[in-house]
Structures are given as structure tokens and as C-alpha cells.
Amino acid sequence: MSCALNRDRPLDLVIIGAGLYGICAARNYLEIHPEFNVSILEESSCVGGVWSSERAYDDFWTQTVIGMAEFSDGPLTPLPEKDVYYDFFPARYVTSYLERYIDSHVYNGQSLRSRINFGCLVDEVKKSADTWMILCNQRSLAIKAARLIVTTGLTSMPNMPALPNQDAFLAPIIHQKDFSQSAFLDSADVINVSIIGGGKSAADIVYAAAKSGKTVSWIIRKRGSGPAAHAPAKGNAIYRNANELLYNRFSSSFSPSVFQSTWLIRFLHQSRLGRGITSWVWSKIDAQYRETADYGRADSEKTGFALLEPDSPLFWQNDSTGINQKPDFWDTIASKVKVYRQDILTLKDHSIQLENGDLVSSDLLICATGWQPSLSFFTSTEAAELGLSTLQLDMDPEKAQKWKDLDEQTDREVVQQFPALANPPAHAPPDTSRTPFRLYKMIASPNDPTIAFLGHINVGNSFRAAECQALWVVAYFDGNLNLPPKTAMEHEISRAVSWCRRRYPYRGASGVWLYYDLLPYTDDLLAHIGLTSHRKRGLKDLFSPCFARDLRDLQEEYKAKSGEGGELV
């Protein structure tokens, strides 16, 4: 471990998780309070979370481009031209970037790395009086903290499906999280590789296996949400790539977002003319990516390639969305991969039998099946009280009814504001066994001002979200935010949940799916703090892509608004 944690005096701040959000939370807090005792608890042996060296592999590339996949105070070092495609690049460069970052940031004589306690598995978190108690490593280590930030995120705990008769399956079964640490693609004994899942992570692994010369079968559940859409990496007009095209305030306005209410948003989503323009724009985008993939190419029925076409329009994100950062991606999949859109009937020996009778030979089964909630160190009662997602069955009936009534009210408000959300296309039923997250600004518990949750959102660019969330938490803990009464806070929380369910009918049940809404969301956070240095002048503010460097003056702007100790001047 890096720091001595067994002490009677509580630490000023403990951060759970040393991924991107945890690193950013520590840096932002220490920039304002360099003398505070801040420690980070990390379960694994390295930093980065999804970007860690434990999870990177050659064909795992960023979904975020150079200039955006970095923090505002430290640009990426120049990358080799061979490793850049429309400014997308291999994830391993993010890994090394974060490793350098934690060494180069030093506060009060301690680097960020020296504050990270590796190998700390959090078992339980509870509060006694005004102090948080964090129990780790089978409760052999107890840590006290005045404030707590949880950054375990949504991609920490693997979701391994219970497959029929899997005990009779003689081949290895692994989760996508362990793919990079396996040597199966280099093994001569592994010839037939099967991947379950339809999302972007599944697509990346399918591509990697196909490029390594394996015989690849891609199985996408018939009853699931379907295959992901893959937008082209190349941009158009004045935008070099897909990120620049998406992450500007003009383009963002075409997504009906609850986080902003500008004249352009009102025109595009409330007037009949504006809704017509919006529908036309999205239809053009949808047609473009489908044309690029060419799902109906020759032999597409024979190989199952045609089954990769998403079921619903790109606007709704029912099937998830990713960026295609490989120029040969579609041709590789079409020529070297057999695609199935079926549910699994049973496993046996070295084969997978599908419900339509097809038998798939397999020497390795990779489950790219997503993630489970990673907040099990709270009891269900505590989770519900804090506003975290928990099983519906564990909810207090009276509180559940209160939220149900409020959600019905705010759902009507959302539909009135955004009429286009009233009638979504057919889609797979969302998982409603769990409650949505109910956090103020998707960060703070309405019932406890000494804890915050960062990174428990789905966005396209986590770097920008991390910086803005982290600075908002600094202002929140410093008491420098104008917070509404609890009833108004709960109404805003409910409205965000109702909007999320309407905006993303399949993915939005969690209440934290914001794929197209990064800029409205982060602008809302910074406006709440009262910061403006990230905005540009005139039309540039509307049309220019939003890069990490745009946030570089926020810390100094916040300091100028605050006195010593973060007190508002």
C-alpha cells in the first residue's frame, strides 16, 4: 500500500476507485485543497479502470479523439501516425498517459500515485455519526473519512450470464474484462472462438479474434436489444471526425436534452418546423452509417452479416452506438465472421446449440455481456437512501409510491417539452428489476451532503464528464453551490429520470444514459458553479468542437471566486 491508512483521525477525503474519474476527482480536490489528507482506494494493482494495463489489448481503441481523450492540464504526447485514424488511437496510449499523470501531479509533497492504495477491496461502507467508515480486505482494514467520493463507475463488475448446461461445456468461458489478460488468441489449441453480445465491446473482440486468424462465431441474443450501430470515424464539412461532429453545441442541440433550454433547443424540439428539420437530420445520419456498413452486400445472408443491422434508428440508441475506428472493420467481419441472431439453447462439450438448431463449435466462449452494479458495499437500504440503483423488491413501498407518483408527473412534463419522445419505435423491453439512480445532477445524494458518486453515467467522452463532475463536487463540498430545497431537488431528479426513460427507451431505465448529451450535461454542471471560461465568443461557441483545452482555466476561475479553504468571496 502507498499510504498508512490505519489511523484514529479521519482522513479529509477518501476516493474509492483509481480509474479516470478517481484520478480526476483527486486532482481537482487537491488543486483547491493541497494540504488536505486525501487517499484513493483501488482494488487492482494498477490505475485506469477500463483504461488500465490489465484491460488493454491491441485492437482496443478509444472512442474519443486526440484533444478530447485527455485532461485539460496535460495533453497527450504526439502519437505515431500509423496508430492514428481520424484522431482515434489505441487505448494503450491512454493507459500510459494516466500512469504519467499520477506521477506528475504533486500536492503538499505527495504525488497522486503515492496517495493510491492498491489492492484495497472495499467490503463495506457505513456511516457513524459524521464519519464514514470504509472496511477493506475482508474487514482487516478500517479507514475513516469525513467525506467520501465513489468512482467505481458502471464497468467494474462483470455481468456473467447463467448459460444453460454450462457445467457440461469443456471449453473456457471468460468475460470481456479478462480478454486482454488471456493468451487464447495466441494459442494453437484455440481454433474456434465464440463471442456473445451485440455491443461495441463485443465488436472489438470479434474483430481482434478474426484478425488473429481464428474461426469466429458472433452470437447476438434474439431477445436482446440487438447489434450496436457503428458510426464512421470520418466527419464531414468542417469537422475532421465523428467526435468533432458530435461534440459541438450546434450538433448537440439536435438531441432533445433536459439539461438545456436555449432558443435553438426550443425551436428544434417544440415547433413543428424544428421537429421536421430534426427528424430529417437524424434520418440522414442514420442512412449514412447504414450505407457505409453495406449490410445487404453479397453473401450477407449466408454469413449472417445482414443480421448486424440495428433494429431501430440511431436517434434512440436502443442498440447502443460506437465509432468504427478500423478502415477494414466491416470487410473483416463480412468475410471472416459467422453471425447468429439467436438465443442459446444449451452448451455441451465444445459446442453451443442455438434455439434454431444450429450447432456452433467453440474452443473458447467470450461473454461481452456488460456489467453489474458495483456498489455492493452498501446495503440495499443504504443504497436506496443514498439514491443508488437497487432491486425494486428492496424498496420501501411508501418511498417507491412517492417516486412513482412524482415520475408520472415529470413524465408528462418531459413529453410536453419534447413531443417527439412520446412515440418511440418498437424496442426490447428494458430491465425494470432495479430502480434507477436518483442522484442530484447524477452525482449527489439528496439525503447526505458528505458523499458523491462520480462516473456513474454513460457518456461518449468520460474525460470531459470527469473534469466537470469533479469540479462540481469540489464546489459542492465547499458549500459554494446554490442548492434548491429537497423537494425541488427530488423533482429535478425525477425529471431527469423520466427524460432518460423517454429519450433512450431501452438504455434509459437506469436513469443515467446520456450518450448524446455530454455537452448539455457538463454545461449545466459548470453553469451551476457559475463558471464561464470554457465558453467561446460568438458563433464559435455554437459551432466549434469542444476540446479538453477549453476547460483549462476552470480551476483558476473557481479559485478567483473562492477564498482560502474554498469559501466563497
Side-chain angles (χ1 to χ4, degrees), residues 66-100:
I66 296 168
M68 296 184 188
E70 59 193 37
F71 294 128
S72 61
D73 67 332
L76 278 168
T77 54
L79 306 183
E81 187 176 344
K82 65 181 180 62
D83 285 341
V84 177
Y85 182 68
Y86 288 104
D87 291 343
F88 296 95
F89 57 95
R92 66 178 181 273
Y93 290 109
V94 176
T95 306
S96 57
Y97 171 83
L98 294 176
E99 291 283 355
R100 293 192 302 272

Side-chain angles (χ1 to χ4, degrees), residues 10-144:
L11 295 165
D12 295 303
L13 174 67
V14 164
I15 299 169
I16 301 177
L20 189 153
Y21 282 90
I23 292 170
C24 192
R27 172 242 163 178
N28 273 268
Y29 201 78
L30 288 164
E31 283 285 345
I32 306 300
H33 303 290
E35 76 286 358
F36 278 22
N37 292 317
V38 176
S39 286
I40 307 170
L41 310 181
E42 171 54 45
E43 176 183 353
S44 73
S45 60
C46 55
V47 300
V50 70
W51 304 106
S52 73
S53 56
E54 294 178 345
R55 293 167 70 171
Y57 56 95
D58 286 346
D59 288 307
F60 175 30
W61 279 46
T62 64
Q63 294 282 287
T64 311
V65 297
I66 296 168
M68 296 184 188
E70 59 193 37
F71 294 128
S72 61
D73 67 332
L76 278 168
T77 54
L79 306 183
E81 187 176 344
K82 65 181 180 62
D83 285 341
V84 177
Y85 182 68
Y86 288 104
D87 291 343
F88 296 95
F89 57 95
R92 66 178 181 273
Y93 290 109
V94 176
T95 306
S96 57
Y97 171 83
L98 294 176
E99 291 283 355
R100 293 192 302 272
Y101 195 89
I102 60 174
D103 288 327
S104 64
H105 285 69
V106 179
Y107 303 94
N108 202 27
Q110 282 188 283
S111 68
L112 291 182
R113 183 184 295 276
S114 71
R115 297 170 185 270
I116 301 173
N117 298 271
F118 295 102
C120 264
L121 174 61
V122 176
D123 302 307
E124 183 181 356
V125 174
K126 56 186 178 180
K127 197 173 186 184
S128 177
D130 295 328
T131 302
W132 288 100
M133 181 72 74
I134 304 101
L135 303 177
C136 304
N137 299 343
Q138 299 180 332
R139 293 172 173 76
S140 63
L141 176 64
I143 306 156
K144 297 177 182 178

Side-chain angles (χ1 to χ4, degrees), residues 212-331:
S212 71
K214 305 300 181 183
T215 300
V216 182
S217 299
W218 189 356
I219 303 170
I220 301 173
R221 287 189 308 138
K222 193 173 184 178
R223 297 185 180 92
S225 63
H230 298 266
K234 183 180 179 181
N236 55 45
I238 62 173
Y239 303 111
R240 171 171 168 75
N241 52 58
N243 273 193
E244 291 188 13
L245 181 61
L246 176 61
Y247 299 132
N248 64 81
R249 293 183 177 87
F250 178 72
S251 296
S252 293
S253 297
F254 285 90
S255 178
S257 178
V258 76
F259 302 109
Q260 61 181 350
S261 181
T262 64
W263 67 268
L264 185 56
I265 284 286
R266 292 190 293 273
F267 167 72
L268 290 174
H269 302 289
Q270 293 179 9
S271 72
R272 180 175 298 180
L273 175 60
R275 293 201 302 272
I277 293 172
T278 299
S279 177
W280 179 82
V281 167
W282 278 102
S283 68
K284 289 297 183 182
I285 296 172
D286 195 85
Q288 180 187 26
Y289 93 82
R290 292 175 192 266
E291 181 182 352
T292 302
D294 188 17
Y295 295 111
R297 64 180 66 191
D299 294 332
S300 63
E301 297 292 338
K302 181 180 178 181
T303 63
F305 182 77
L307 298 173
L308 292 176
E309 184 164 9
D311 300 333
S312 59
L314 191 67
F315 171 86
W316 297 97
Q317 259 258 320
N318 287 327
D319 312 296
S320 182
T321 303
I323 304 295
N324 174 17
Q325 325 99 316
K326 312 290 174 51
D328 66 338
F329 174 80
W330 289 122
D331 290 341

